[in-house]
Amino acid sequence: MKIFAVGMNYLLHNKELHGALYKTEEPVIFTKADSALLKDHKPFFLPEELGRIDYETEVVVRISRLGKSIPERFAHRYYDAVTVGIDFTARELQSKLREAGHPWELCKGFDGSAAIGEWVSKEKFRDVQTLQFHLDINGKTVQEGCTSDMLYKVDELISYISQWFTLKTGDILYTGTPAGVGPVKIDDHLEGWLENRKVLEFNVK
């Protein structure tokens, strides 16, 4: 199983991090180790040695068939379910890595950094590009977004990634986070919502 993720895929998040509204020339793709996956309501153990850890709430899609060099017009055939996930990010470490021109894996791919909710068939929704989603921490909504605001849509991302990697059944794709990211702390209770469905719930330890 491969975990793909997309950086800087919402305008307001780009402004939040970099002070400017802009779209990257191509999708920014990175990967996470399979040990990053956190599922089944298991707690997230805060790696305090990494400094500030931010939540980044995202819609996630599940690849359902083998594919390579997939044309965008056929990409919708290659995923069958969606959910909400959290791309945990060691923010201070990310800044240092970016300044040095180094890859992001250390700040993005550590154990437990890919929280994943319960899968919902994409057939339950009219259009994956009109999904509302949000994250609540301790009962308060802290981040919300809509997939219609993605700079690169799901089908574009799948087509693009498949130029470089063979997609296989069970691979997953984190599609980027909207504005509103922030830090988590021990004893926080996180709940992720997709439309009116609570699909993600766990605690920070």
Side-chain angles (χ1 to χ4, degrees):
M1 181 201 68
K2 300 184 291 297
I3 302 173
F4 298 101
V6 184
M8 297 180 286
N9 202 29
Y10 286 79
L11 275 178
L12 292 179
H13 175 60
N14 295 348
K15 183 177 181 181
E16 172 179 66
L17 289 185
H18 306 293
L21 296 170
Y22 68 96
K23 180 178 180 178
T24 57
E25 292 185 5
E26 295 181 325
V28 176
I29 306 298
F30 58 95
T31 60
K32 290 174 175 274
D34 58 4
S35 59
L37 199 64
L38 181 71
K39 58 184 181 178
D40 301 328
H41 309 292
K42 293 179 180 177
F44 173 65
F45 290 96
L46 196 66
E48 295 181 330
E49 70 278 4
L50 294 182
R52 170 174 162 164
I53 304 295
D54 280 3
Y55 57 80
E56 296 189 7
T57 313
E58 313 192 5
V59 167
V60 187
V61 300
R62 182 177 68 191
I63 301 301
S64 58
R65 59 189 294 191
L66 185 72
K68 173 69 175 174
S69 300
I70 302 164
E72 185 180 330
R73 67 183 182 276
F74 297 136
H76 66 280
R77 302 178 181 176
Y78 286 81
Y79 57 100
D80 64 351
V82 295
T83 190
V84 168
I86 297 177
D87 166 24
F88 282 114
T89 303
R91 189 66 68 198
E92 296 157 337
L93 178 57
Q94 185 186 39
S95 296
K96 292 178 181 178
L97 293 171
R98 182 182 286 120
E99 289 172 4
H102 292 165
W104 290 2
E105 273 76 8
L106 294 180
C107 68
K108 289 280 196 178
F110 55 89
D111 288 357
S113 64
I116 192 79
E118 298 167 4
W119 294 107
V120 181
S121 170
K122 72 173 185 179
E123 304 304 325
K124 298 287 186 181
F125 306 105
R126 182 175 60 84
D127 185 353
V128 297
Q129 292 301 159
T130 61
L131 295 175
Q132 302 280 345
F133 60 100
H134 69 272
L135 174 69
D136 292 353
I137 297 182
N138 304 325
K140 178 182 178 182
T141 298
V142 295
Q143 190 179 21
E144 52 192 333
C146 182
T147 55
S148 63
D149 294 329
M150 285 181 182
L151 298 175
Y152 294 99
K153 308 304 184 187
V154 173
D155 290 358
E156 292 178 85
L157 294 170
I158 287 175
S159 178
Y160 181 81
I161 292 170
S162 72
Q163 296 177 46
W164 311 96
F165 300 92
T166 297
L167 298 180
K168 296 183 178 181
T169 300
D171 289 348
I172 59 178
L173 170 61
Y174 286 68
T175 58
T177 192
V181 303
V184 291
K185 63 183 187 301
I186 291 174
D187 294 329
D188 278 346
H189 181 70
L190 280 65
E191 298 174 299
W193 295 77
L194 184 63
E195 295 287 333
N196 61 349
R197 301 168 185 260
K198 183 166 68 173
V199 294
L200 177 68
E201 184 173 12
F202 64 96
N203 296 312
V204 178
K205 299 283 189 177

mmCIF file of all heavy atoms in Angstrom, residues 77-110:
data_model
loop_
_atom_site.group_PDB
_atom_site.id
_atom_site.type_symbol
_atom_site.label_atom_id
_atom_site.label_comp_id
_atom_site.label_asym_id
_atom_site.label_seq_id
_atom_site.Cartn_x
_atom_site.Cartn_y
_atom_site.Cartn_z
ATOM 1 N N ARG A 77 -12.715 6.162 -12.674
ATOM 2 C CA ARG A 77 -12.919 4.713 -12.592
ATOM 3 C C ARG A 77 -11.947 4.039 -11.624
ATOM 4 O O ARG A 77 -12.091 2.845 -11.342
ATOM 5 C CB ARG A 77 -12.734 4.075 -13.975
ATOM 6 C CG ARG A 77 -13.657 4.607 -15.049
ATOM 7 C CD ARG A 77 -13.348 3.946 -16.383
ATOM 8 N NE ARG A 77 -14.201 4.434 -17.457
ATOM 9 C CZ ARG A 77 -14.085 4.067 -18.744
ATOM 10 N NH1 ARG A 77 -13.135 3.187 -19.083
ATOM 11 N NH2 ARG A 77 -14.879 4.557 -19.669
ATOM 12 N N TYR A 78 -10.971 4.783 -11.121
ATOM 13 C CA TYR A 78 -9.872 4.182 -10.371
ATOM 14 C C TYR A 78 -9.963 4.408 -8.861
ATOM 15 O O TYR A 78 -9.048 4.040 -8.139
ATOM 16 C CB TYR A 78 -8.537 4.699 -10.911
ATOM 17 C CG TYR A 78 -8.200 4.087 -12.248
ATOM 18 C CD1 TYR A 78 -8.759 4.591 -13.418
ATOM 19 C CD2 TYR A 78 -7.366 2.986 -12.340
ATOM 20 C CE1 TYR A 78 -8.476 4.022 -14.653
ATOM 21 C CE2 TYR A 78 -7.079 2.399 -13.570
ATOM 22 C CZ TYR A 78 -7.647 2.924 -14.723
ATOM 23 O OH TYR A 78 -7.372 2.352 -15.939
ATOM 24 N N TYR A 79 -11.060 4.987 -8.371
ATOM 25 C CA TYR A 79 -11.247 5.101 -6.931
ATOM 26 C C TYR A 79 -12.708 4.841 -6.612
ATOM 27 O O TYR A 79 -13.598 5.139 -7.406
ATOM 28 C CB TYR A 79 -10.782 6.451 -6.384
ATOM 29 C CG TYR A 79 -11.428 7.670 -7.016
ATOM 30 C CD1 TYR A 79 -12.479 8.337 -6.385
ATOM 31 C CD2 TYR A 79 -10.979 8.168 -8.228
ATOM 32 C CE1 TYR A 79 -13.058 9.458 -6.946
ATOM 33 C CE2 TYR A 79 -11.547 9.295 -8.804
ATOM 34 C CZ TYR A 79 -12.595 9.937 -8.165
ATOM 35 O OH TYR A 79 -13.178 11.047 -8.738
ATOM 36 N N ASP A 80 -12.941 4.249 -5.437
ATOM 37 C CA ASP A 80 -14.299 3.804 -5.131
ATOM 38 C C ASP A 80 -14.850 4.333 -3.818
ATOM 39 O O ASP A 80 -16.030 4.136 -3.514
ATOM 40 C CB ASP A 80 -14.358 2.275 -5.114
ATOM 41 C CG ASP A 80 -13.513 1.639 -4.002
ATOM 42 O OD1 ASP A 80 -12.736 2.383 -3.337
ATOM 43 O OD2 ASP A 80 -13.621 0.417 -3.795
ATOM 44 N N ALA A 81 -14.017 4.988 -2.996
ATOM 45 C CA ALA A 81 -14.488 5.417 -1.675
ATOM 46 C C ALA A 81 -13.730 6.664 -1.238
ATOM 47 O O ALA A 81 -12.614 6.936 -1.695
ATOM 48 C CB ALA A 81 -14.304 4.297 -0.652
ATOM 49 N N VAL A 82 -14.364 7.399 -0.329
ATOM 50 C CA VAL A 82 -13.767 8.630 0.203
ATOM 51 C C VAL A 82 -13.933 8.652 1.723
ATOM 52 O O VAL A 82 -14.790 7.975 2.280
ATOM 53 C CB VAL A 82 -14.409 9.896 -0.407
ATOM 54 C CG1 VAL A 82 -14.123 9.982 -1.886
ATOM 55 C CG2 VAL A 82 -15.919 9.924 -0.152
ATOM 56 N N THR A 83 -13.108 9.449 2.368
ATOM 57 C CA THR A 83 -13.239 9.661 3.802
ATOM 58 C C THR A 83 -12.527 10.961 4.152
ATOM 59 O O THR A 83 -12.092 11.696 3.269
ATOM 60 C CB THR A 83 -12.666 8.471 4.606
ATOM 61 O OG1 THR A 83 -13.021 8.617 5.987
ATOM 62 C CG2 THR A 83 -11.160 8.374 4.475
ATOM 63 N N VAL A 84 -12.439 11.228 5.441
ATOM 64 C CA VAL A 84 -11.660 12.362 5.935
ATOM 65 C C VAL A 84 -10.441 11.817 6.660
ATOM 66 O O VAL A 84 -10.522 10.819 7.383
ATOM 67 C CB VAL A 84 -12.502 13.240 6.890
ATOM 68 C CG1 VAL A 84 -11.637 14.239 7.644
ATOM 69 C CG2 VAL A 84 -13.578 13.985 6.107
ATOM 70 N N GLY A 85 -9.309 12.444 6.450
ATOM 71 C CA GLY A 85 -8.084 12.071 7.135
ATOM 72 C C GLY A 85 -7.364 13.309 7.629
ATOM 73 O O GLY A 85 -7.743 14.440 7.310
ATOM 74 N N ILE A 86 -6.332 13.082 8.420
ATOM 75 C CA ILE A 86 -5.502 14.187 8.911
ATOM 76 C C ILE A 86 -4.050 13.903 8.551
ATOM 77 O O ILE A 86 -3.510 12.844 8.880
ATOM 78 C CB ILE A 86 -5.652 14.389 10.419
ATOM 79 C CG1 ILE A 86 -7.092 14.787 10.749
ATOM 80 C CG2 ILE A 86 -4.679 15.472 10.915
ATOM 81 C CD1 ILE A 86 -7.368 14.947 12.211
ATOM 82 N N ASP A 87 -3.464 14.851 7.851
ATOM 83 C CA ASP A 87 -2.046 14.823 7.525
ATOM 84 C C ASP A 87 -1.328 15.606 8.620
ATOM 85 O O ASP A 87 -1.217 16.820 8.557
ATOM 86 C CB ASP A 87 -1.840 15.451 6.140
ATOM 87 C CG ASP A 87 -0.385 15.783 5.838
ATOM 88 O OD1 ASP A 87 0.505 15.155 6.445
ATOM 89 O OD2 ASP A 87 -0.144 16.671 4.995
ATOM 90 N N PHE A 88 -0.882 14.894 9.662
ATOM 91 C CA PHE A 88 -0.157 15.570 10.740
ATOM 92 C C PHE A 88 1.210 16.033 10.231
ATOM 93 O O PHE A 88 1.907 15.299 9.522
ATOM 94 C CB PHE A 88 0.029 14.639 11.937
ATOM 95 C CG PHE A 88 -1.201 14.494 12.783
ATOM 96 C CD1 PHE A 88 -1.860 13.270 12.877
ATOM 97 C CD2 PHE A 88 -1.703 15.575 13.496
ATOM 98 C CE1 PHE A 88 -2.994 13.133 13.670
ATOM 99 C CE2 PHE A 88 -2.833 15.447 14.297
ATOM 100 C CZ PHE A 88 -3.481 14.227 14.380
ATOM 101 N N THR A 89 1.583 17.242 10.617
ATOM 102 C CA THR A 89 2.804 17.869 10.101
ATOM 103 C C THR A 89 3.623 18.455 11.237
ATOM 104 O O THR A 89 3.099 19.226 12.057
ATOM 105 C CB THR A 89 2.451 18.988 9.103
ATOM 106 O OG1 THR A 89 1.647 18.447 8.046
ATOM 107 C CG2 THR A 89 3.712 19.619 8.522
ATOM 108 N N ALA A 90 4.901 18.092 11.291
ATOM 109 C CA ALA A 90 5.823 18.723 12.240
ATOM 110 C C ALA A 90 6.236 20.064 11.631
ATOM 111 O O ALA A 90 7.140 20.144 10.808
ATOM 112 C CB ALA A 90 7.034 17.822 12.470
ATOM 113 N N ARG A 91 5.535 21.130 12.041
ATOM 114 C CA ARG A 91 5.603 22.401 11.326
ATOM 115 C C ARG A 91 6.975 23.063 11.408
ATOM 116 O O ARG A 91 7.477 23.579 10.403
ATOM 117 C CB ARG A 91 4.533 23.348 11.865
ATOM 118 C CG ARG A 91 4.385 24.625 11.042
ATOM 119 C CD ARG A 91 3.848 24.314 9.649
ATOM 120 N NE ARG A 91 2.477 23.851 9.710
ATOM 121 C CZ ARG A 91 1.868 23.198 8.727
ATOM 122 N NH1 ARG A 91 2.526 22.906 7.618
ATOM 123 N NH2 ARG A 91 0.607 22.812 8.844
ATOM 124 N N GLU A 92 7.575 23.070 12.570
ATOM 125 C CA GLU A 92 8.887 23.711 12.700
ATOM 126 C C GLU A 92 9.935 22.962 11.891
ATOM 127 O O GLU A 92 10.785 23.571 11.217
ATOM 128 C CB GLU A 92 9.281 23.783 14.177
ATOM 129 C CG GLU A 92 8.346 24.661 14.998
ATOM 130 C CD GLU A 92 8.371 24.321 16.493
ATOM 131 O OE1 GLU A 92 8.744 23.182 16.848
ATOM 132 O OE2 GLU A 92 8.027 25.207 17.277
ATOM 133 N N LEU A 93 9.864 21.640 11.921
ATOM 134 C CA LEU A 93 10.793 20.836 11.136
ATOM 135 C C LEU A 93 10.563 21.055 9.652
ATOM 136 O O LEU A 93 11.525 21.126 8.870
ATOM 137 C CB LEU A 93 10.634 19.353 11.491
ATOM 138 C CG LEU A 93 11.507 18.363 10.715
ATOM 139 C CD1 LEU A 93 12.983 18.694 10.867
ATOM 140 C CD2 LEU A 93 11.215 16.938 11.177
ATOM 141 N N GLN A 94 9.305 21.186 9.256
ATOM 142 C CA GLN A 94 9.012 21.446 7.844
ATOM 143 C C GLN A 94 9.674 22.744 7.370
ATOM 144 O O GLN A 94 10.239 22.811 6.282
ATOM 145 C CB GLN A 94 7.506 21.516 7.607
ATOM 146 C CG GLN A 94 7.146 21.675 6.135
ATOM 147 C CD GLN A 94 5.663 21.881 5.920
ATOM 148 O OE1 GLN A 94 5.004 22.574 6.695
ATOM 149 N NE2 GLN A 94 5.118 21.281 4.887
ATOM 150 N N SER A 95 9.594 23.771 8.199
ATOM 151 C CA SER A 95 10.210 25.053 7.834
ATOM 152 C C SER A 95 11.713 24.907 7.632
ATOM 153 O O SER A 95 12.286 25.444 6.676
ATOM 154 C CB SER A 95 9.919 26.101 8.911
ATOM 155 O OG SER A 95 8.530 26.371 8.999
ATOM 156 N N LYS A 96 12.351 24.158 8.526
ATOM 157 C CA LYS A 96 13.802 23.952 8.401
ATOM 158 C C LYS A 96 14.142 23.166 7.139
ATOM 159 O O LYS A 96 15.101 23.489 6.423
ATOM 160 C CB LYS A 96 14.328 23.219 9.635
ATOM 161 C CG LYS A 96 14.267 24.029 10.928
ATOM 162 C CD LYS A 96 14.763 23.205 12.116
ATOM 163 C CE LYS A 96 14.674 23.993 13.408
ATOM 164 N NZ LYS A 96 15.107 23.181 14.583
ATOM 165 N N LEU A 97 13.350 22.120 6.868
ATOM 166 C CA LEU A 97 13.609 21.313 5.679
ATOM 167 C C LEU A 97 13.397 22.125 4.404
ATOM 168 O O LEU A 97 14.179 22.026 3.451
ATOM 169 C CB LEU A 97 12.694 20.080 5.677
ATOM 170 C CG LEU A 97 12.958 19.046 6.775
ATOM 171 C CD1 LEU A 97 11.851 18.010 6.798
ATOM 172 C CD2 LEU A 97 14.308 18.374 6.572
ATOM 173 N N ARG A 98 12.339 22.936 4.397
ATOM 174 C CA ARG A 98 12.061 23.751 3.213
ATOM 175 C C ARG A 98 13.186 24.754 2.971
ATOM 176 O O ARG A 98 13.621 24.952 1.832
ATOM 177 C CB ARG A 98 10.726 24.474 3.380
ATOM 178 C CG ARG A 98 10.340 25.300 2.160
ATOM 179 C CD ARG A 98 9.046 26.045 2.366
ATOM 180 N NE ARG A 98 7.906 25.144 2.298
ATOM 181 C CZ ARG A 98 7.052 24.950 3.287
ATOM 182 N NH1 ARG A 98 7.227 25.552 4.445
ATOM 183 N NH2 ARG A 98 6.021 24.149 3.128
ATOM 184 N N GLU A 99 13.648 25.383 4.024
ATOM 185 C CA GLU A 99 14.724 26.369 3.885
ATOM 186 C C GLU A 99 16.006 25.733 3.352
ATOM 187 O O GLU A 99 16.758 26.360 2.608
ATOM 188 C CB GLU A 99 14.996 27.033 5.235
ATOM 189 C CG GLU A 99 13.895 27.969 5.698
ATOM 190 C CD GLU A 99 14.107 28.453 7.123
ATOM 191 O OE1 GLU A 99 15.155 28.107 7.722
ATOM 192 O OE2 GLU A 99 13.229 29.171 7.639
ATOM 193 N N ALA A 100 16.232 24.470 3.720
ATOM 194 C CA ALA A 100 17.438 23.770 3.274
ATOM 195 C C ALA A 100 17.251 23.095 1.916
ATOM 196 O O ALA A 100 18.205 22.518 1.379
ATOM 197 C CB ALA A 100 17.850 22.734 4.315
ATOM 198 N N GLY A 101 16.025 23.155 1.383
ATOM 199 C CA GLY A 101 15.754 22.506 0.108
ATOM 200 C C GLY A 101 15.691 20.997 0.187
ATOM 201 O O GLY A 101 15.917 20.298 -0.801
ATOM 202 N N HIS A 102 15.358 20.479 1.386
ATOM 203 C CA HIS A 102 15.312 19.040 1.591
ATOM 204 C C HIS A 102 13.894 18.501 1.437
ATOM 205 O O HIS A 102 12.924 19.257 1.562
ATOM 206 C CB HIS A 102 15.838 18.701 2.988
ATOM 207 C CG HIS A 102 17.300 18.971 3.146
ATOM 208 N ND1 HIS A 102 17.911 19.037 4.382
ATOM 209 C CD2 HIS A 102 18.290 19.185 2.242
ATOM 210 C CE1 HIS A 102 19.192 19.290 4.233
ATOM 211 N NE2 HIS A 102 19.449 19.377 2.937
ATOM 212 N N PRO A 103 13.734 17.208 1.203
ATOM 213 C CA PRO A 103 12.407 16.595 1.103
ATOM 214 C C PRO A 103 11.625 16.711 2.412
ATOM 215 O O PRO A 103 12.191 16.975 3.480
ATOM 216 C CB PRO A 103 12.716 15.130 0.771
ATOM 217 C CG PRO A 103 14.097 15.135 0.228
ATOM 218 C CD PRO A 103 14.813 16.241 0.930
ATOM 219 N N TRP A 104 10.315 16.452 2.319
ATOM 220 C CA TRP A 104 9.411 16.640 3.450
ATOM 221 C C TRP A 104 9.161 15.383 4.271
ATOM 222 O O TRP A 104 8.436 15.431 5.275
ATOM 223 C CB TRP A 104 8.048 17.119 2.946
ATOM 224 C CG TRP A 104 8.035 18.508 2.409
ATOM 225 C CD1 TRP A 104 9.086 19.368 2.278
ATOM 226 C CD2 TRP A 104 6.885 19.207 1.920
ATOM 227 N NE1 TRP A 104 8.661 20.556 1.742
ATOM 228 C CE2 TRP A 104 7.320 20.491 1.510
ATOM 229 C CE3 TRP A 104 5.531 18.870 1.795
ATOM 230 C CZ2 TRP A 104 6.444 21.439 0.982
ATOM 231 C CZ3 TRP A 104 4.665 19.814 1.262
ATOM 232 C CH2 TRP A 104 5.109 21.071 0.867
ATOM 233 N N GLU A 105 9.692 14.237 3.869
ATOM 234 C CA GLU A 105 9.278 12.986 4.508
ATOM 235 C C GLU A 105 9.432 12.983 6.030
ATOM 236 O O GLU A 105 8.585 12.439 6.748
ATOM 237 C CB GLU A 105 10.055 11.804 3.905
ATOM 238 C CG GLU A 105 9.424 11.212 2.657
ATOM 239 C CD GLU A 105 9.646 12.082 1.421
ATOM 240 O OE1 GLU A 105 10.419 13.064 1.498
ATOM 241 O OE2 GLU A 105 9.045 11.774 0.382
ATOM 242 N N LEU A 106 10.495 13.585 6.546
ATOM 243 C CA LEU A 106 10.709 13.550 7.990
ATOM 244 C C LEU A 106 9.629 14.308 8.753
ATOM 245 O O LEU A 106 9.259 13.924 9.867
ATOM 246 C CB LEU A 106 12.086 14.121 8.341
ATOM 247 C CG LEU A 106 13.295 13.321 7.845
ATOM 248 C CD1 LEU A 106 14.584 14.010 8.274
ATOM 249 C CD2 LEU A 106 13.254 11.890 8.377
ATOM 250 N N CYS A 107 9.113 15.371 8.190
ATOM 251 C CA CYS A 107 8.100 16.171 8.891
ATOM 252 C C CYS A 107 6.679 15.727 8.569
ATOM 253 O O CYS A 107 5.739 16.135 9.252
ATOM 254 C CB CYS A 107 8.266 17.658 8.566
ATOM 255 S SG CYS A 107 7.880 18.100 6.856
ATOM 256 N N LYS A 108 6.526 14.881 7.557
ATOM 257 C CA LYS A 108 5.195 14.476 7.111
ATOM 258 C C LYS A 108 4.925 12.982 7.250
ATOM 259 O O LYS A 108 3.770 12.569 7.346
ATOM 260 C CB LYS A 108 5.015 14.847 5.632
ATOM 261 C CG LYS A 108 4.876 16.332 5.343
ATOM 262 C CD LYS A 108 3.472 16.818 5.618
ATOM 263 C CE LYS A 108 3.186 18.166 4.987
ATOM 264 N NZ LYS A 108 1.782 18.598 5.229
ATOM 265 N N GLY A 109 5.988 12.153 7.253
ATOM 266 C CA GLY A 109 5.781 10.719 7.139
ATOM 267 C C GLY A 109 6.061 9.912 8.380
ATOM 268 O O GLY A 109 6.118 8.687 8.325
ATOM 269 N N PHE A 110 6.202 10.593 9.525
ATOM 270 C CA PHE A 110 6.521 9.861 10.759
ATOM 271 C C PHE A 110 5.346 8.978 11.192
ATOM 272 O O PHE A 110 4.211 9.146 10.728
ATOM 273 C CB PHE A 110 6.920 10.842 11.871
ATOM 274 C CG PHE A 110 5.908 11.928 12.148
ATOM 275 C CD1 PHE A 110 4.891 11.739 13.071
ATOM 276 C CD2 PHE A 110 5.982 13.157 11.486
ATOM 277 C CE1 PHE A 110 3.958 12.726 13.339
ATOM 278 C CE2 PHE A 110 5.054 14.156 11.745
ATOM 279 C CZ PHE A 110 4.042 13.942 12.663
#
